[in-house]
Amino acid sequence: MAISAKEAALSLKNICFQGVRKHFAAVGVEAVLGLPTPLIRDLLPHLTVCQLDELQPALNQRGLSTHPGWISVLQDMCGPNHVTDFDTEEEAKHEVMRMLFTLVFYGFTNPFVKRNIANLNTPSFLWAAAKCIKHFLLTTPVESLTAERRPLLNLLEKRIWSVGVSQSIDISKRRTQTALYVLHRLLDHGVAKKIVVHVQCPIVLAWILHGRGSQYVNPDLKELLESKKASCVSQTASASADGAGGGSGLGTGAPEEQVTPCKRSKLDSAEESGRSHFTLDPQVLCRTFTPRDGPSAGACPWGRIDCLDIRQCGSDSLRVLNSALPTFFCLRSLTLHSFLTFRDSDVLSLAKALKQLSDSSHSSLADLSVSVLPCTWLVEVLLDASPNLTSLTAEIQTLMWGQRLLPQRPRAAGSGISGAEKAERLPLEKLDIKVAELQTDLRFVTSVLRRCPQFTSLRLAGIRLPSGSSLSQLFTTLSESNPLLRSLNLEDLKLSDCLPEILNLLTDCKLEELRFNDCRLLEQWSNKEESLQRLVEALKAVPSLHALSLAQNRLAKNVCVLAELFSGPAPGSVKRLDVSSNFIQPAELLEFAKRLRTHRPPHRLTLDLRVNPGDRDPDTWNAALKRLRPFCVLLVKGWSSTDTMADHISNM
């Protein structure tokens, strides 16, 4: 079949684009910049990530964005149905670099990496990617950072703000000092202030905390440090004597490629003989791995940990942390997560340590996140123990085998907190509570809200009230006690009987973000369309509201009412609307698109339509999307109606 002239031109253009990609170095940046603007925009999706990175500064000066190129890479990596919700080129670029750096540095592969390995497995790519990433995951192998990739470590030291430890570091083994050295470089010589520990390893946690904010010294770690330091001094003297004749011993300033064979031999022989002659002391580690003219020439600095995130916090790790907390004055943010529910005694010990820290005038702890707590009253125990918190996140899960039989002890029990202190107002600004229990007493939330006049953000999920009770008191409390509220995020709650209180809250508020996700809003409304219109009119009257989510509320055909958000002489200011998982049929979306086209939003609207059954009538669905695209950024993910369970759940 003969191809048209238009198809031939497109084919020739693509061949030229591939030629530019292949011979980019020969073509040169200036030649690309000399192309007409429409041609440059068409070229961007065909370039490699390094080429996009090189062109970006010059294109920005011309007022052009590389955003389409980065989005094209993301779609190529993750598939066409992956939601690439990145509004700026920097956001999209950093996501590309973050994903690819991990894949290439650690040798992982996916189809995209395999197709582009020649352009990715290069020092220039890793260097470009390292300039973008802020979090470094410490896992095997990191040995290359002390050998052929040593320059990369120098760059990471200046760029990385957060370090993750994702594999257990066996301190009893000699080889682990490479990982400890990299940690030392990033935490002490570098700018990293946050550490994320993904493993349950109390002695490694003690090593991380030692000297980096807390004055506490773990006795087990102290014994190890002293014994290993003594052994290392003996070994270093021996190594210096052995290397005097050959000129390749440690600390001689010889090139690394000359040192490595000798050093590797000594390490192997030490392990084979069972002699663990190595050091845990960061200062000695630095002298061992770094040339004399490197960053550790002279005394090493001690870093400071501002943010600590322990993802597998068992009782042993918590014991190490609790001992360090009272003098951990530089700590601003603390996150503790246990896969098992914490015991009451664990939480009360934590509260006691937090109280000791807060009693000092040097404490800077502002953000606390703890999961999983065994009961709701411990939330107030933690708040009273650390009354200067501005943000608290907690997940609560009662034991599956029934109600707790422990007596309801006073909330301050075990934490040394008086009733007078408990009544004081709190500076808390953000509260995030997720509950998994059969029944919850809402009073623990409302009592906290009344004590927090500076409150700006609330997220509640999963609260179940006794039969006949209502969450209306929550909205009444917010209206009366929290006039500065900016963000309200409610998930998996029953709000269908709270419409009057919701409308009252919206009449005089400063909300910027409102999320009612899976809240069964329409469940008990006798006239669903009329009630939804009342809600929409109230939302329009909130000029500060920019983000609205009504996901998983079974809106279905009633989604058309939401187009009224932008009608009339004073349209709403919503810029992001989430109606995902609402069983919106293609015909209903088309009607919504027609109404929205009549009442166009004053700003370009980001519209989340994911997990709605568009495949039931693809032509109508695509026609609706076509109508929406001129004034909407659409987030669409494929739906398969053959998945009958998902279909049933969304239409319940």
Side-chain angles (χ1 to χ4, degrees):
M1 180 183 294
I3 61 173
S4 66
K6 184 176 181 181
E7 289 173 329
L10 286 174
S11 178
L12 179 59
K13 182 189 289 187
N14 287 335
I15 291 173
C16 293
F17 288 160
Q18 291 302 318
V20 172
R21 171 191 171 105
K22 185 176 181 179
H23 303 288
F24 185 84
V27 172
V29 173
E30 292 302 323
V32 174
L33 295 175
L35 295 173
T37 296
L39 206 55
I40 292 178
R41 290 198 177 103
D42 291 342
L43 170 64
L44 291 178
H46 297 269
L47 299 178
T48 69
V49 291
C50 284
Q51 291 163 0
L52 283 170
D53 180 61
E54 186 177 353
L55 280 172
Q56 181 170 316
L59 289 176
N60 290 165
Q61 288 183 352
R62 283 188 52 179
L64 297 176
S65 172
T66 55
H67 184 263
W70 297 114
I71 292 297
S72 176
V73 174
L74 279 172
Q75 291 175 336
D76 197 3
M77 290 175 62
C78 306
N81 290 329
H82 179 77
V83 175
T84 51
D85 186 15
F86 300 98
D87 296 331
T88 68
E89 66 177 352
E90 282 302 311
E91 290 175 339
K93 172 183 175 178
H94 282 225
E95 179 66 7
V96 168
M97 293 302 198
R98 181 192 66 80
M99 296 173 67
L100 287 179
F101 181 88
T102 302
L103 292 170
V104 175
F105 181 82
Y106 293 112
F108 304 140
T109 58
N110 71 358
F112 179 85
V113 172
K114 287 181 179 178
R115 292 195 307 271
N116 296 274
I117 192 65
N119 301 310
L120 295 176
N121 194 19
T122 64
S124 61
F125 164 73
L126 285 175
W127 189 265
K131 290 181 178 180
C132 295
I133 63 172
K134 299 297 183 184
H135 179 79
F136 180 77
L137 195 61
L138 188 73
T139 184
T140 53
V142 293
E143 287 80 4
S144 64
L145 291 176
T146 62
E148 71 273 10
R149 288 174 174 169
R150 180 180 290 275
L152 190 61
L153 179 58
N154 296 333
L155 177 62
L156 293 173
E157 183 182 293
K158 297 178 177 67
R159 297 278 180 170
I160 295 299
W161 288 89
S162 170
V163 184
V165 180
S166 64
Q167 289 192 354
S168 294
I169 300 175
D170 190 345
I171 281 184
S172 67
K173 293 184 178 179
R174 169 65 178 78
R175 295 178 186 271
T176 60
Q177 77 171 14
T178 305
L180 296 181
Y181 168 68
V182 172
L183 263 177
H184 165 62
R185 285 286 300 275
L186 297 177
L187 292 176
D188 299 327
H189 292 279
V191 296
K193 302 295 183 186
K194 178 179 180 178
I195 185 80
V196 183
V197 184
H198 296 268
V199 291
Q200 166 74 297
C201 193
I203 194 67
V204 171
L205 178 62
W207 186 92
I208 291 171
L209 299 181
H210 175 65
R212 298 183 178 92
S214 175
Q215 298 172 10
Y216 170 77
V217 180
N218 182 277
D220 295 333
L221 178 65
K222 183 179 180 181
E223 182 180 349
L224 274 173
L225 285 170
E226 291 176 348
S227 63
K228 299 304 180 186
K229 185 174 182 179
S231 298
C232 183
V233 169
S234 172
Q235 185 193 7
T236 302
S238 174
S240 298
D242 292 343
S248 59
L250 296 180
T252 63
E256 186 176 357
E257 58 269 19
Q258 296 177 358
V259 175
T260 303
C262 176
K263 184 167 63 175
R264 184 71 267 157
S265 163
K266 288 182 180 295
L267 300 185
D268 291 340
S269 63
E271 288 181 359
E272 291 169 3
S273 65
R275 294 180 294 121
S276 299
H277 295 318
F278 64 97
T279 181
L280 301 178
D281 189 331
Q283 308 278 329
V284 181
L285 276 171
C286 219
R287 291 194 293 272
T288 302
F289 278 93
T290 310
R292 283 185 175 178
D293 58 349
S296 66
C300 292
W302 281 100
R304 190 180 76 174
I305 296 175
D306 292 347
C307 303
L308 177 62
D309 187 339
I310 306 176
R311 299 291 174 88
Q312 294 187 30
C313 189
S315 295
D316 291 338
S317 293
L318 193 60
R319 196 174 300 114
V320 170
L321 175 65
N322 287 342
S323 298
L325 267 179
T327 57
F328 209 156
F329 303 131
C330 64
L331 189 66
R332 293 187 297 101
S333 175
L334 175 62
T335 298
L336 306 174
H337 175 74
S338 172
F339 290 117
L340 300 175
T341 303
F342 282 116
R343 298 175 300 185
D344 290 61
S345 57
D346 289 335
V347 183
L348 293 174
S349 296
L350 172 64
K352 183 177 181 180
L354 289 170
K355 182 67 168 64
Q356 290 175 304
L357 176 62
S358 67
D359 284 344
S360 73
S361 59
H362 305 293
S363 173
S364 58
L365 184 64
D367 302 334
L368 176 64
S369 177
V370 184
S371 59
V372 179
L373 295 176
C375 53
T376 54
W377 65 267
L378 286 171
V379 171
E380 288 195 77
V381 169
L382 294 174
L383 274 174
D384 291 328
S386 194
N388 294 321
L389 290 178
T390 58
S391 175
L392 175 66
T393 300
E395 183 176 344
I396 302 153
Q397 182 173 329
T398 55
L399 301 178
M400 295 181 63
W401 49 83
Q403 295 291 327
R404 297 165 54 83
L405 300 178
L406 293 175
Q408 276 285 24
R409 66 192 79 175
R411 285 186 170 88
S415 60
I417 304 164
S418 70
E421 289 174 308
K422 180 179 178 300
E424 291 179 357
R425 289 191 171 188
L426 301 172
L428 195 70
E429 298 175 5
K430 298 180 181 180
L431 180 66
D432 186 332
I433 301 289
K434 181 179 180 180
V435 183
E437 57 183 3
L438 295 177
Q439 288 187 1
T440 301
D441 187 348
L442 185 62
R443 287 178 296 180
F444 96 93
V445 176
T446 55
S447 66
V448 171
L449 295 179
R450 291 191 185 99
R451 297 173 63 191
C452 305
Q454 301 177 48
F455 209 75
T456 61
S457 176
L458 175 65
R459 176 181 176 268
L460 294 177
I463 290 180
R464 298 287 181 272
L465 300 183
S467 178
S469 301
S470 171
L471 283 163
S472 58
Q473 184 58 45
L474 170 66
F475 296 98
T476 301
T477 302
L478 288 170
S479 299
E480 296 173 349
S481 306
N482 308 105
L484 302 180
L485 188 66
R486 296 288 188 275
S487 175
L488 180 59
N489 187 343
L490 304 180
E491 299 177 17
D492 189 18
L493 307 178
K494 181 184 176 183
L495 300 182
S496 56
D497 59 347
C498 300
L499 182 59
E501 291 77 16
I502 293 173
L503 297 178
N504 182 59
L505 173 66
L506 294 173
T507 54
D508 184 21
C509 73
K510 300 178 181 179
L511 278 174
E512 298 173 1
E513 177 185 39
L514 178 62
R515 297 180 182 276
F516 291 151
N517 290 356
D518 191 16
C519 286
R520 288 158 277 174
L521 277 175
L522 281 63
E523 188 176 90
Q524 294 181 1
W525 292 353
S526 56
N527 189 328
K528 293 179 171 52
E529 183 174 347
E530 179 184 342
S531 297
L532 188 56
Q533 279 185 331
R534 291 174 62 196
L535 178 61
V536 166
E537 288 301 316
L539 292 169
K540 283 173 61 178
V542 183
S544 56
L545 187 66
H546 300 310
L548 173 65
S549 176
L550 298 176
Q552 294 179 269
N553 277 290
R554 303 166 195 157
L555 295 178
K557 64 180 180 180
N558 295 291
V559 70
C560 300
V561 177
L562 297 183
E564 301 299 319
L565 275 169
F566 309 104
S567 64
S573 56
V574 171
K575 297 178 182 178
R576 185 181 185 91
L577 177 62
D578 185 350
V579 289
S580 60
S581 302
N582 268 297
F583 204 70
I584 300 169
Q585 302 271 13
E588 295 159 357
L589 183 65
L590 183 60
E591 178 60 27
F592 172 74
K594 290 177 180 177
R595 295 195 190 184
L596 200 62
R597 196 170 183 177
T598 302
H599 310 299
R600 287 205 177 196
H603 309 283
R604 190 165 179 80
L605 180 68
T606 298
L607 182 62
D608 194 337
L609 296 169
R610 288 174 287 185
V611 199
N612 281 300
D615 67 335
R616 296 198 166 187
D617 185 351
D619 292 339
T620 302
W621 183 264
N622 291 329
L625 297 182
K626 185 177 180 180
R627 284 177 175 262
L628 291 168
R629 281 197 174 95
F631 50 91
C632 291
V633 176
L634 301 177
L635 306 182
V636 184
K637 187 176 182 180
W639 163 289
S640 174
S641 291
T642 57
D643 188 345
T644 54
M645 180 57 69
D647 193 335
H648 170 70
I649 291 173
S650 296
N651 199 28
M652 285 174 60

